[in-house]
Amino acid sequence: MNGAPPSAARRFTLVTGVIGADTHIVGNRILSMALEEAGYRVVQLGALTPAGDFIKAAVETAADAILVSSLYGQGELDCRGFRDLCVEAGLDDILLYVGGNLVVGKQPWEDIEKRFLDMGFDRAFPPGTRVDDALAALAADFASRTAHAGEP
Amino acid sequence: MNGAPPSAARRFTLVTGVIGADTHIVGNRILSMALEEAGYRVVQLGALTPAGDFIKAAVETAADAILVSSLYGQGELDCRGFRDLCVEAGLDDILLYVGGNLVVGKQPWEDIEKRFLDMGFDRAFPPGTRVDDALAALAADFASRTAHAGEP
Amino acid sequence: MNDIVSSKTLAAALSEAAICAEDFARMRDANLARWPTGAAIDFDEAVAHHKALPQKKQLAEAMRRAHAERRCLTQPRGGFATLAMQKELMQALDRDGLADIVPTTTDSYTRNEQFAAAQKGVDESERLGRSLLNGFPVVNYGLAACRELIASIDKPAILLTGTSMPKLTAEIGFAAGYTGYLGSGIAYTTSYIKELSIADGIRNYQYLDRLAALYAEHGVELHRRQPGFLTGTNIPPCIAIAIAVLDCLLAAAQGVRHYGLELAQTLHLVQDAAAIAACESLAQEYLAKKGYHDVFTPITSLHWMGAWPRDDAQSATLVSYGGTLAAIGGATSVTTKTTHEAYGIPTPQANAEGLRITRMAIYLARGIRLAGLPEYETEKALIGREVRAILDKVLEMGDGDVAVGSVRAFEAGVLDVPWSPNRHVKSRVMPARDARGYLRIFDPGNLPLPRDVMEVHAEGLRERAANEGIAFDRELAIRSVYELSEPLSKLLPD
Amino acid sequence: MNDIVSSKTLAAALSEAAICAEDFARMRDANLARWPTGAAIDFDEAVAHHKALPQKKQLAEAMRRAHAERRCLTQPRGGFATLAMQKELMQALDRDGLADIVPTTTDSYTRNEQFAAAQKGVDESERLGRSLLNGFPVVNYGLAACRELIASIDKPAILLTGTSMPKLTAEIGFAAGYTGYLGSGIAYTTSYIKELSIADGIRNYQYLDRLAALYAEHGVELHRRQPGFLTGTNIPPCIAIAIAVLDCLLAAAQGVRHYGLELAQTLHLVQDAAAIAACESLAQEYLAKKGYHDVFTPITSLHWMGAWPRDDAQSATLVSYGGTLAAIGGATSVTTKTTHEAYGIPTPQANAEGLRITRMAIYLARGIRLAGLPEYETEKALIGREVRAILDKVLEMGDGDVAVGSVRAFEAGVLDVPWSPNRHVKSRVMPARDARGYLRIFDPGNLPLPRDVMEVHAEGLRERAANEGIAFDRELAIRSVYELSEPLSKLLPD
Ligand code: B12
Ligand code: B12
């Protein structure tokens, strides 16, 4: 799989998990395995993970990004206020991704994406996203962040 | 099958056939058999029948109605001017039905029906029409015509 | 214009014998002179053009490979009135539908050689911006336009021209680079025309097959294919196969060595698999009897050819199951339909969707075969007995000549096709679907089927009549015509 | 609220033994007191309500009739947040979908007994006019609302409540007139929850099964059903069947005599037919071993439970083929999906369409069976050997007690489920699809499968690895997770 992390120097830490009362673990697990293979340090919280646990784990591990999975449709309820929780915990600009079958029913992706970006996620990924796309996005975002690191 | 002709007294004569270069005979044949069973005198012209042959047969047999089948899609071309041909032949108000898959492609039935009524057909029947519907329509139309027979 | 006359004058006594070179040369000149676009045909240039075609556009090669690899290729039908519409369609079928074989279906005026009427159809279609023809008028457009179509796709192209008068269409089509041609003298004459005699239909296709053989002699193998569906209305396997074998023997006599055989699906998994297997082995059996040992006869399975339901959901199932039946049956290709079938010629999108539904079904059924299933073996043996009973009688009636035997057999009803529009066909045979879903023969007319075989047919039909509480009469056959087009609430009430 | 605690305190040592009347009465009172709507439950009134239901609304009866007539009933899934939405849905499934069994799927908060969160979901859904819950919150709405739903349809209603904490939902559902309930202690605990132990999951369903048995004692037969799909992700038949039989034995011990078994489709015609036949006979075999001779165990086949393609055409084929597989396999009912599967919970219309596509497929496959097909008989025998190897070991580990044996077997990995979210499940077993399309086991973990059986599995998998030029490792299993969701251009390139 392509899209290895940009700087071998510094190892990025990612928190993954399936939010809320959602049992769909398969995709999240395959994704986590791929992230590890790609060289990331991955903290796997698994299925049925309350929003708070993501933040807690991110703080404890000084994570660079949180990757939230939501497949079962109730992510629209579970993810509300997720960014605020991060800010409260001092993770003001931690990278936030969300992906899966984020809402109930087959809705136009543009609408869904907007809803989740408005919630404060940096990126949202549509149903059936492949791991390579996730890896590519992470590589790109970390690259630009490292580049702008020095700036005020 | 229901819808026997209204007056046993007078036996109505019907001309049936498949217009143009159309080989679809199955439905037309089943329809014709049903019409005979229902007591009509049926003149079957069969498949691949030029418009002119319908009129000729109707004149020769003093037919009360012509039932045109068109399944193959080119009926829209084949049926143009059919009413005029009847008028020229002195069959001014002979009952004209057309049915089948009248145009090329899946088009809204309302549009198709209008097109064929504008051509001068008294009724048009959509794809898959069952013989009972045809029999009922004939019974109704002949009944009202006999009723108004006396009028100027 | 009238093809009947021309063929009468050219070919005196009917026989299966190959048309001799001199006669054929004269026949071709007369034929090509019948319409302006015929003038552009130059045989040697055409042969060169075929030899320059990339392998991926050669259907004969594609069918041989698929047969060897036990793959099932997909092919739709499709034709519109204008060049632009036709090109858009063929590209959609190739790209969105992943079609393995891309078709050009001709319109019904062209099929009946009413080229002037076809031209009116083209003009009207241009004017209204929608197709008023049910196919593409190959003869009117001619050689260059057809080559433009084939150049616009990446697959082999086949001409579908349901007609018993194929001579001009075939000359232009082959010269243009179509590497496949669907049609045959007996089959199409029984289903596409009212007046033309079986003899003249055979003559017209002897011309076509002779032409295909001529290309082969010059190193260009073409895929000739027999249209096994006949009237498409509940054709029992034995009738389809018997006629397919006869058309095949007639083609072989003209020198054809690559001849596909079609079978319309009965929609009964076991019967269709048995029919596909029986068809190929019976064709080889009778080819061998006539001394032909090198004819390639792949089978094409056809999605349900009878009346379709008006519910998209039910139609989607017929499309999907059609892929399953073809794949499990071991067909080398399948011809697909769409959810628009009951209504009208499908849009390019609906047509491509039908291809994808079918392709997925083929993928899922990969590797599954019924050989060894007792019911399958029994059915295969039954079909074999039926077909041999008919064919042996036909060959006997023709004193060994297939053409003569076929004509005499139709006159006697020994060969018969249900629901035929042709007045030279008795159409006394009456098929119907039995209680277990097998397509059987209710009234054989004069088909020479053994008594015990007919008993098998009658048994299942009586069972159905009993189940549905109707008389054991013609009503059974008529119900069977409608059956698959009925709504689910009637087919399988809850 | 916390169900784990309550069940722990109530049931001391785990055993398969039936819960005694006194304990059960106390457990019920405690359970019903957990949420206001529990108060409305009056067992005698509920029994009377069931006896007043018309026969057409009694699922137990419908399943027995279908089994006797070898029919395959159709049933979708379906749940929305509000009563109005749920009623509209159930009516559409009944009328437009001709569903034989109408479902009410509960939402995931209810499944985890987060009733307050469920209420928020209802309110938000009312506010936005669209469902934000993936099911209907049965507990929040309570008895009267559920009866209103059942009154609005003409079919039997079943509760689908993927959860290992069913106690409150079941009390309300049964009392409301639902005559079917899907769920079991082992299966759902392996697939729907992370922390709950297998032991507690078993306890929770012992309550439910005891309750169903209580209704039976009062003359009301209910359809209990085991959810064989587990994690829905490439579950080989032997794992699904072994767990189905264990859940069945646990239910029988509580007094249940009508217990349906589910099997997710592998999408291989032969393997699925063999699995369905093997499942029913193995269940009866082990029931007999434990001395139960009067338990009715119909099989329900489930449309593909793994990842779906995002192309409607490909999905339509999975739906249609799903009907074919269930019918040919001889399942008593089939649970359907839709062309929306890869995207989201289907609209009532898409759901009804999935039912009709499936129903048409069932009609077309009527009467077709594979018994006698050599490959089918071989596969059936193989499954039998696999399941017996696992079950005999589990029973041995429990010293004859199914509950104890199951818990110990999971601890040892002798029972294992692929891709489980539950930390009490090893999830070391790795399934993959082989070259011929069979679902096989790549790495058995600690499953006690005979060496020669594993050789059969490995053979086909090695063949696939070779074909695709990839290593014989975990990658095979991961590819198999994605396989059916891949576009056709990848599955069957042209
Ligand atoms: C069987 C069939 C054939 C058979 C016909 C055999 C024969 N000789 O009869 C074969 C295989 C030969 C065939 C050939 C072709 N067919 Co065709 N065929 C069908 C099919 C599948 C069923 C037709 C049928 O028999 N139905 C059963 C009978 C009982 O029903 P029916 O014909 O509709 O008739 C009933 C009603 O329509 C009504 N009715 C009919 N006429 C009239 C008249 C009146 C006055 C009234 C009141 C009622 C009425 O009553 C009848 C009895 O209930 C239909 C699609 C479908 N319907 O599923 C396509 C279809 C009709 N065919 C079609 C086409 C295009 C062709 C071809 C041109 C080939 C091609 N390009 O694909 C050729 C025709 C060549 C030619 N020159 O005509 C198209 C027409 C498209 C369009 N209109 O847009 C259809 C709709 C398929 C499709 N969707 O593409 N076909
Ligand atoms: C398998 C499955 C199940 C299994 C799950 C087993 C398990 N424990 O994991 C079982 C059978 C248990 C199950 C249960 C349910 N399911 Co389910 N399930 C599926 C199914 C068929 C496949 C999911 C899957 O494993 N895909 C394969 C993996 C590899 O892909 P993936 O999960 O999509 O993950 C990939 C991408 O999404 C992406 N990704 C995922 N997360 C993230 C995060 C980030 C940051 C990024 C970048 C990428 C990313 O990368 C992953 C790897 O490629 C889907 C439908 C489908 N997709 O075909 C329905 C589906 C997800 N389930 C659904 C539902 C509703 C349920 C249930 C609520 C039951 C019900 N009401 O019908 C319950 C859930 C109960 C609960 N409490 O959660 C719905 C969700 C509906 C919606 N969103 O509108 C779906 C979409 C089906 C449907 N159309 O109704 N399900």
Side-chain angles (χ1 to χ4, degrees):
Chain A
M1 300 181 179
N2 64 23
S7 100
R10 155 145 158 47
R11 202 141 167 272
F12 292 93
T13 300
L14 315 175
V15 173
T16 68
V18 188
I19 195 168
D22 191 340
T23 183
H24 295 93
I25 193 63
V26 182
N28 175 271
R29 194 171 288 167
I30 291 180
L31 179 65
S32 303
M33 296 188 306
L35 294 168
E36 274 171 355
E37 278 175 30
Y40 291 102
R41 199 168 137 246
V42 181
V43 181
Q44 289 194 44
L45 303 179
L48 295 120
T49 302
D53 294 10
F54 282 89
I55 292 34
K56 215 162 127 288
V59 172
E60 290 167 359
T61 62
D64 302 280
I66 300 177
L67 280 63
V68 177
S69 290
S70 179
L71 283 297
Y72 72 157
Q74 299 180 178
E76 186 169 356
L77 292 169
D78 299 328
C79 293
R80 290 186 181 170
F82 195 89
R83 170 63 74 180
D84 312 341
L85 287 176
C86 294
V87 175
E88 287 164 23
L91 303 169
D92 298 61
D93 48 20
I94 187 169
L95 188 63
L96 289 188
Y97 283 6
V98 64
N101 298 71
L102 297 175
V103 302
V104 168
K106 187 178 182 178
Q107 300 178 32
W109 172 244
E110 302 62 41
D111 306 1
I112 301 172
E113 185 175 35
K114 184 173 181 318
R115 247 174 262 162
F116 282 80
L117 295 188
D118 291 351
M119 286 185 208
F121 288 92
D122 297 291
R123 291 183 190 251
F125 296 80
T129 299
R130 297 301 192 242
V131 291
D132 289 358
D133 306 341
L135 288 168
L138 278 173
D141 289 350
F142 282 135
S144 65
R145 289 192 169 209
T146 336
H148 304 64
E151 301 166 13
Chain B
M1 300 180 178
N2 68 22
S7 99
R10 153 143 161 42
R11 200 141 169 273
F12 293 91
T13 300
L14 315 174
V15 173
T16 68
V18 188
I19 195 168
D22 191 341
T23 183
H24 296 91
I25 192 63
V26 181
N28 175 272
R29 192 171 287 167
I30 291 179
L31 178 67
S32 303
M33 297 189 305
L35 293 167
E36 273 171 355
E37 279 176 26
Y40 292 103
R41 201 171 135 242
V42 181
V43 182
Q44 291 194 43
L45 304 179
L48 295 120
T49 301
D53 293 11
F54 282 88
I55 284 72
K56 210 160 132 291
V59 171
E60 288 168 358
T61 62
D64 302 280
I66 301 178
L67 280 64
V68 176
S69 291
S70 179
L71 283 297
Y72 72 158
Q74 299 180 179
E76 186 169 354
L77 292 167
D78 299 329
C79 293
R80 288 184 181 172
F82 194 90
R83 170 64 73 181
D84 312 341
L85 287 174
C86 294
V87 175
E88 286 165 20
L91 304 169
D92 299 60
D93 48 23
I94 187 168
L95 189 62
L96 289 188
Y97 285 6
V98 64
N101 299 71
L102 298 175
V103 302
V104 168
K106 186 177 183 179
Q107 300 179 31
W109 173 243
E110 303 61 42
D111 306 1
I112 301 171
E113 185 176 36
K114 183 173 182 317
R115 246 174 263 162
F116 282 81
L117 295 188
D118 291 350
M119 288 184 205
F121 288 92
D122 297 292
R123 291 185 191 250
F125 296 81
T129 299
R130 297 301 193 243
V131 292
D132 288 359
D133 305 341
L135 288 167
L138 279 171
D141 289 349
F142 282 136
S144 65
R145 287 187 168 214
T146 338
H148 304 65
E151 301 167 13
Chain C
M1 185 61 35
N2 187 327
D3 201 49
I4 301 173
V5 179
S6 60
S7 59
K8 275 251 175 56
T9 50
L10 287 169
L14 179 75
S15 100
E16 67 175 39
I19 305 169
C20 74
E22 304 67 41
D23 289 357
F24 193 50
R26 261 188 287 101
M27 289 165 76
R28 291 193 64 218
D29 295 341
N31 180 39
L32 293 174
R34 294 188 304 135
W35 191 260
T37 51
I41 308 304
D42 170 341
F43 185 78
D44 299 328
E45 187 275 345
V47 167
H49 181 76
H50 273 274
K51 291 186 168 164
L53 281 178
Q55 208 196 43
K56 64 178 182 197
K57 292 195 180 188
Q58 295 170 16
L59 185 51
E61 161 64 18
M63 292 296 285
R64 285 189 184 273
R65 203 175 334 110
H67 189 268
E69 296 168 0
R70 308 188 78 197
R71 272 191 68 177
C72 181
L73 304 179
T74 60
Q75 177 218 301
R77 301 188 180 87
F80 288 129
T82 72
L83 182 60
M85 295 173 187
Q86 185 64 20
K87 189 187 288 183
E88 184 209 345
L89 169 64
M90 289 169 71
Q91 291 182 330
L93 298 174
D94 176 356
R95 285 149 215 188
D96 309 341
L98 302 176
D100 295 308
I101 307 168
V102 177
T104 296
T105 297
T106 55
D107 69 284
S108 295
Y109 294 140
T110 298
R111 291 161 181 232
N112 289 278
E113 304 198 316
Q114 301 166 6
F115 304 122
Q119 194 52 54
K120 229 183 87 230
V122 173
D123 302 340
E124 275 299 283
S125 303
E126 297 281 10
R127 192 172 67 79
L128 296 177
R130 58 181 170 89
S131 181
L132 280 94
L133 295 179
N134 56 26
F136 181 71
V138 163
V139 174
N140 295 64
Y141 272 103
L143 191 66
C146 291
R147 287 190 175 174
E148 191 178 326
L149 289 174
I150 295 168
S152 73
I153 56 166
D154 292 318
K155 310 284 175 64
I158 187 171
L159 264 178
L160 309 177
T161 72
T163 174
S164 33
M165 296 164 284
K167 289 158 44 176
L168 208 38
T169 306
E171 287 279 5
I172 292 170
F174 282 150
Y178 283 93
T179 52
Y181 194 107
L182 176 69
S184 70
I186 301 175
Y188 272 158
T189 306
T190 66
S191 56
Y192 279 89
I193 197 144
K194 184 162 66 173
E195 302 293 345
L196 193 78
S197 70
I198 302 292
D200 285 327
I202 289 176
R203 286 195 179 88
N204 291 341
Y205 274 90
Q206 284 178 318
Y207 176 108
L208 171 50
D209 288 321
R210 187 72 189 75
L211 180 61
L214 194 62
Y215 273 92
E217 288 163 24
H218 289 70
V220 177
E221 182 180 51
L222 299 170
H223 173 70
R224 278 284 296 121
R225 191 189 292 178
Q226 192 266 359
F229 51 82
L230 303 172
T231 54
T233 305
N234 292 341
I235 305 298
C238 65
I239 294 179
I241 295 173
I243 291 177
V245 172
L246 292 168
D247 273 325
C248 178
L249 294 175
L250 289 170
Q254 296 302 321
V256 172
R257 292 297 175 267
H258 181 129
Y259 198 77
L261 307 173
E262 283 186 351
L263 274 179
Q265 299 177 351
T266 65
L267 293 180
H268 186 288
L269 178 65
V270 174
Q271 186 169 33
D272 282 325
I276 290 169
C279 187
E280 188 158 2
S281 60
L282 286 160
Q284 290 300 328
E285 177 179 327
Y286 280 85
L287 281 163
K289 270 200 181 144
K290 297 281 289 181
Y292 309 110
H293 302 282
D294 56 354
V295 184
F296 174 59
T297 54
I299 308 297
T300 291
S301 178
L302 309 176
H303 278 178
W304 177 239
M305 292 296 293
W308 280 52
R310 278 163 293 171
D311 170 15
D312 283 5
Q314 289 175 251
S315 294
T317 302
L318 287 184
V319 172
S320 173
Y321 202 50
T324 303
L325 295 170
I328 293 180
T332 300
S333 82
V334 59
T335 302
T336 63
K337 287 195 174 186
T338 75
T339 56
H340 286 197
E341 180 65 12
Y343 294 96
I345 289 181
T347 57
Q349 292 62 35
N351 210 338
E353 181 199 64
L355 279 161
R356 293 204 309 280
I357 291 175
T358 305
R359 198 175 191 83
M360 186 68 179
I362 291 169
Y363 177 74
L364 292 173
R366 65 194 183 284
I368 292 175
R369 291 289 185 274
L370 298 186
L373 181 70
E375 192 177 343
Y376 164 89
E377 299 298 343
T378 310
E379 187 65 19
K380 207 170 100 186
L382 181 75
I383 294 170
R385 292 192 55 210
E386 296 165 351
V387 172
R388 291 191 192 91
I390 297 170
L391 285 180
D392 294 345
K393 180 80 182 148
V394 172
L395 294 178
E396 176 197 310
M397 291 175 82
D399 312 310
D401 185 289
V402 176
V404 175
S406 300
V407 169
R408 291 182 183 155
F410 270 104
E411 283 163 0
V414 163
L415 279 175
D416 199 7
V417 174
W419 304 103
S420 170
N422 190 308
R423 59 180 189 75
H424 304 283
V425 177
K426 287 231 173 332
S427 260
R428 272 196 46 203
V429 58
M430 277 265 171
R433 196 175 291 277
D434 78 6
R436 288 154 61 215
Y438 280 95
L439 208 50
R440 297 304 190 195
I441 293 172
F442 160 68
D443 176 350
N446 296 344
L447 289 181
L449 296 175
R451 172 171 274 90
D452 64 322
V453 166
M454 280 314 299
E455 207 10 75
V456 176
H457 286 241
E459 191 186 347
L461 293 170
R462 270 195 233 94
E463 192 184 334
R464 176 178 184 173
N467 293 353
E468 301 183 9
I470 58 173
F472 184 67
D473 65 11
R474 198 180 61 183
E475 182 62 15
L476 266 178
I478 292 176
R479 277 194 185 215
S480 302
V481 168
Y482 287 107
E483 181 171 339
L484 273 302
S485 70
E486 301 288 6
L488 271 171
S489 53
K490 191 165 174 177
L491 292 176
L492 201 57
D494 50 16
Chain D
M1 181 64 34
N2 186 329
D3 201 48
I4 302 172
V5 179
S6 61
S7 61
K8 275 254 176 55
T9 50
L10 288 168
L14 179 73
S15 99
E16 67 176 39
I19 304 168
C20 76
E22 304 66 44
D23 290 354
F24 194 51
R26 260 186 289 103
M27 289 165 73
R28 290 194 63 218
D29 295 340
N31 180 38
L32 293 175
R34 294 188 304 135
W35 190 259
T37 51
I41 308 305
D42 170 342
F43 184 79
D44 298 329
E45 186 276 344
V47 167
H49 181 75
H50 273 273
K51 290 187 167 163
L53 281 178
Q55 209 196 43
K56 65 178 182 198
K57 293 196 179 187
Q58 296 170 14
L59 185 51
E61 161 65 17
M63 292 297 284
R64 283 187 184 276
R65 204 178 330 113
H67 188 269
E69 296 167 1
R70 307 188 78 198
R71 273 190 68 177
C72 181
L73 305 179
T74 60
Q75 177 218 301
R77 301 188 178 87
F80 289 130
T82 72
L83 182 60
M85 294 173 187
Q86 185 64 19
K87 190 188 287 185
E88 183 208 345
L89 169 63
M90 288 171 71
Q91 290 182 333
L93 298 174
D94 177 358
R95 284 149 215 188
D96 309 342
L98 301 176
D100 294 307
I101 308 168
V102 177
T104 296
T105 297
T106 55
D107 68 283
S108 295
Y109 294 139
T110 298
R111 292 160 179 232
N112 290 279
E113 304 198 316
Q114 301 167 3
F115 303 121
Q119 193 54 52
K120 229 182 89 236
V122 174
D123 302 340
E124 274 299 284
S125 302
E126 295 282 10
R127 193 172 68 76
L128 297 176
R130 58 182 172 87
S131 180
L132 280 93
L133 293 180
N134 57 24
F136 181 71
V138 162
V139 173
N140 295 65
Y141 271 105
L143 190 67
C146 290
R147 286 190 175 174
E148 189 178 329
L149 289 174
I150 295 169
S152 73
I153 56 168
D154 291 318
K155 311 285 176 59
I158 187 170
L159 265 179
L160 309 178
T161 71
T163 174
S164 33
M165 295 165 283
K167 289 160 40 175
L168 207 38
T169 306
E171 286 279 4
I172 292 170
F174 283 150
Y178 283 92
T179 53
Y181 194 105
L182 176 69
S184 70
I186 301 174
Y188 272 158
T189 306
T190 65
S191 56
Y192 279 90
I193 197 146
K194 183 163 64 173
E195 301 294 344
L196 194 77
S197 69
I198 302 293
D200 286 326
I202 289 176
R203 286 193 179 90
N204 290 340
Y205 273 91
Q206 284 179 318
Y207 177 109
L208 171 48
D209 287 321
R210 186 72 192 76
L211 179 62
L214 194 64
Y215 273 93
E217 288 162 24
H218 288 72
V220 177
E221 183 181 50
L222 299 170
H223 173 70
R224 278 284 293 119
R225 190 188 293 177
Q226 192 267 359
F229 51 82
L230 304 172
T231 55
T233 304
N234 294 340
I235 305 299
C238 65
I239 294 178
I241 294 173
I243 291 176
V245 171
L246 292 169
D247 273 325
C248 178
L249 294 175
L250 288 170
Q254 296 302 321
V256 172
R257 291 297 175 266
H258 181 128
Y259 198 77
L261 308 174
E262 284 186 347
L263 275 179
Q265 299 177 352
T266 66
L267 293 179
H268 187 288
L269 178 65
V270 173
Q271 186 169 32
D272 282 325
I276 289 169
C279 186
E280 187 158 3
S281 60
L282 286 161
Q284 289 300 327
E285 179 179 324
Y286 280 85
L287 280 164
K289 272 203 183 142
K290 298 279 292 182
Y292 308 111
H293 302 284
D294 56 352
V295 183
F296 174 59
T297 55
I299 308 297
T300 291
S301 177
L302 310 175
H303 278 179
W304 176 240
M305 292 296 293
W308 279 54
R310 276 162 294 170
D311 171 14
D312 282 7
Q314 289 174 251
S315 295
T317 302
L318 288 183
V319 172
S320 174
Y321 201 51
T324 303
L325 295 170
I328 292 181
T332 300
S333 82
V334 60
T335 301
T336 62
K337 288 194 174 187
T338 76
T339 56
H340 285 199
E341 180 65 10
Y343 294 96
I345 289 180
T347 58
Q349 293 62 37
N351 211 337
E353 181 199 64
L355 280 161
R356 294 205 308 281
I357 290 176
T358 305
R359 198 176 191 84
M360 185 69 179
I362 291 169
Y363 177 74
L364 292 172
R366 65 193 181 287
I368 292 177
R369 291 290 184 274
L370 298 186
L373 181 70
E375 192 177 342
Y376 164 88
E377 300 298 343
T378 310
E379 187 65 18
K380 208 170 99 185
L382 181 74
I383 294 171
R385 292 192 55 211
E386 296 166 352
V387 173
R388 290 191 193 90
I390 298 171
L391 286 180
D392 294 344
K393 181 77 182 152
V394 172
L395 295 179
E396 177 197 310
M397 291 174 81
D399 312 310
D401 186 289
V402 176
V404 175
S406 300
V407 170
R408 291 179 183 157
F410 272 104
E411 284 162 2
V414 163
L415 279 175
D416 200 7
V417 174
W419 302 105
S420 170
N422 189 308
R423 60 180 189 76
H424 305 283
V425 178
K426 288 232 174 329
S427 262
R428 273 196 45 205
V429 58
M430 277 263 172
R433 197 176 289 277
D434 78 7
R436 289 152 63 213
Y438 280 94
L439 207 51
R440 297 304 190 196
I441 293 173
F442 160 69
D443 175 351
N446 297 345
L447 287 182
L449 295 176
R451 170 171 274 89
D452 63 321
V453 166
M454 280 313 300
E455 206 12 71
V456 175
H457 286 242
E459 192 187 345
L461 292 171
R462 270 193 236 96
E463 193 184 333
R464 177 178 184 173
N467 293 352
E468 302 183 11
I470 57 173
F472 183 66
D473 64 11
R474 198 180 60 182
E475 183 61 18
L476 266 178
I478 291 175
R479 277 195 186 214
S480 302
V481 168
Y482 286 108
E483 181 172 338
L484 273 303
S485 70
E486 301 287 6
L488 271 171
S489 52
K490 189 163 176 180
L491 291 176
L492 199 59
D494 51 13

